[in-house]
Amino acid sequence: MTEVARAAATELDNDAGQGGQVVLDRLVSLLDLERIEENIFRGVSPPHSPVRVFGGQVAGQALVAAGRTVPPERTVHSLHAYFIRGGDPRVPIVYEVDRIRDGRSFTTRRVVAVQHGKAIFALSASFQKEEQGIEHAERMPDVPAAETLPTVRERIEGYPDLQSLHSRPRPIDIRYVNDPPWVTRGTGSPATRNQVWMRADGSLPDDQLLHVCVLAYASDMTLLDSPLARHGAYWELDKVLGASLDHAMWFHRPFRADEWFLYDTESPSASNARALATGRFFAADGTLIATVVQEGLLRVL
């Protein structure tokens, strides 16, 4: 599928500022890795990605590679990843899967993403067969429904300097619950948390691993906005250098990524040019579906 994926990646570059089913289908193709050998897969990127490969894409592709070596009845329940080097969008990424363990209940995989002979990303993922146990979950915050909120396209009107938002294809529909950080920047009222509704902007196949990978892709889109928002800063409007350092996710319950989910994020700490951000994903009915934690490099110059 590499040629199909490469064509889809190129078309994603041409879909600047666009969304909808066609753009989502190209993301799905981007996640459809080529198997080149036992436990070895290859993926591609939009060739004109800014600076480096988007972290959510690498995480999603690595999870696809891991999942393709696991029995389908076992679903991923957690992942832990490190971003080691910036990815080069102009060349393919090779994903090497290490089958760490195949137990009676759990399966563990380790994936290393390689470019130019060097590791750029490492992921460990654990899969589990369905089991019964105790149940509880935090409640979703009381927020307006997604359909009542403006789109990102409407939110960025009047902000021509936000090139990353104007030029980025939009396979994920994002609706900000609170004012976006580029609006609260400089107002003297910085936000302590960032809340957005998200969903894949179209329909996805009935493949639970794909839905998890799309959620992993989306999880890296607004997470580091939270620490910046606390300080009244935003990426292209201020002198900010940032990158994801590590990323962890726990998947609690089944969900569909093409249905609305709330991404509620905050930053409990920032120091030594690093910021910690945490997030919770809720389905539209209030069900807690996943939790994420990321540490990022943030240099405000």
Side-chain angles (χ1 to χ4, degrees):
M1 294 295 292
T2 294
E3 292 305 320
V4 174
R6 186 175 291 111
T10 301
E11 289 302 320
L12 269 176
D13 268 344
N14 296 331
D15 290 328
Q18 302 301 309
Q21 187 68 52
V22 172
V23 177
L24 178 61
D25 288 344
R26 288 170 182 152
L27 172 60
V28 172
S29 294
L30 198 69
L31 294 172
D32 188 12
L33 305 182
E34 177 191 16
R35 180 182 178 275
I36 58 177
E37 183 52 89
E38 187 74 14
N39 302 324
I40 301 177
F41 302 85
R42 180 164 54 200
V44 295
S45 309
H48 299 105
S49 298
V51 184
R52 54 181 173 263
V53 178
F54 172 53
Q57 174 201 313
V58 183
Q61 288 181 331
L63 191 55
V64 168
R68 289 189 176 175
T69 69
V70 176
E73 64 271 14
R74 298 194 176 198
T75 58
V76 62
H77 72 86
S78 69
L79 65 84
H80 301 264
Y82 283 92
F83 297 89
I84 301 169
R85 294 180 177 87
D88 182 350
R90 299 167 298 176
V91 299
I93 305 172
V94 174
Y95 295 91
E96 301 173 349
V97 181
D98 189 359
R99 302 188 185 219
I100 300 295
R101 181 175 183 266
D102 291 289
R104 287 182 294 180
S105 298
F106 291 87
T107 296
T108 306
R109 295 291 184 262
R110 182 171 58 206
V111 183
V112 177
V114 177
Q115 280 188 322
H116 305 296
K118 296 180 179 180
I120 66 167
F121 176 84
L123 173 141
S124 293
S126 182
F127 300 74
Q128 182 190 16
K129 71 176 184 180
E130 186 176 357
E131 298 187 49
Q132 298 298 314
I134 60 173
E135 288 274 347
H136 68 266
E138 291 187 5
R139 297 182 61 182
M140 184 175 75
D142 186 15
V143 297
E147 294 85 352
T148 67
L149 300 170
T151 65
V152 167
R153 181 190 296 275
E154 293 168 331
R155 286 282 201 174
I156 61 176
E157 289 181 2
Y159 294 88
D161 293 334
L162 296 178
Q163 290 303 312
S164 64
L165 294 179
H166 284 287
S167 61
R168 182 186 302 163
R170 300 196 183 100
I172 307 298
D173 188 353
I174 300 175
R175 311 285 179 96
Y176 279 83
V177 174
N178 48 351
D179 282 336
W182 62 86
V183 173
T184 59
R185 168 187 173 271
T187 63
S189 301
T192 58
R193 64 193 317 115
N194 194 47
Q195 294 176 323
V196 297
W197 284 104
M198 292 179 161
R199 69 174 176 184
D201 197 8
S203 298
L204 292 169
D206 294 330
D207 177 349
Q208 184 58 32
L209 178 62
L210 177 62
H211 286 259
V212 169
C213 291
V214 170
L215 190 73
Y217 177 92
S219 70
D220 198 35
M221 297 184 76
T222 62
L223 190 51
L224 287 183
D225 289 358
S226 298
L228 285 180
R230 289 188 64 143
H231 296 270
Y234 194 67
W235 301 100
E236 290 159 317
L237 302 180
D238 296 284
K239 293 181 179 180
V240 177
L241 295 177
S244 302
L245 294 175
D246 55 45
H247 196 85
M249 296 187 73
W250 294 264
F251 304 95
H252 310 306
R253 294 166 182 84
F255 61 89
R256 291 193 64 90
D258 53 5
E259 296 177 353
W260 287 113
F261 51 88
L262 179 72
Y263 195 15
D264 178 36
T265 66
E266 60 183 334
S267 177
S269 178
S271 62
N272 199 31
R274 302 191 315 273
L276 187 70
T278 65
R280 300 174 300 167
F281 289 98
F282 295 89
D285 65 0
T287 302
L288 180 64
I289 58 176
T291 300
V292 60
V293 177
Q294 181 180 106
E295 188 174 49
L297 174 69
L298 279 183
R299 294 191 176 114
V300 181
L301 306 178

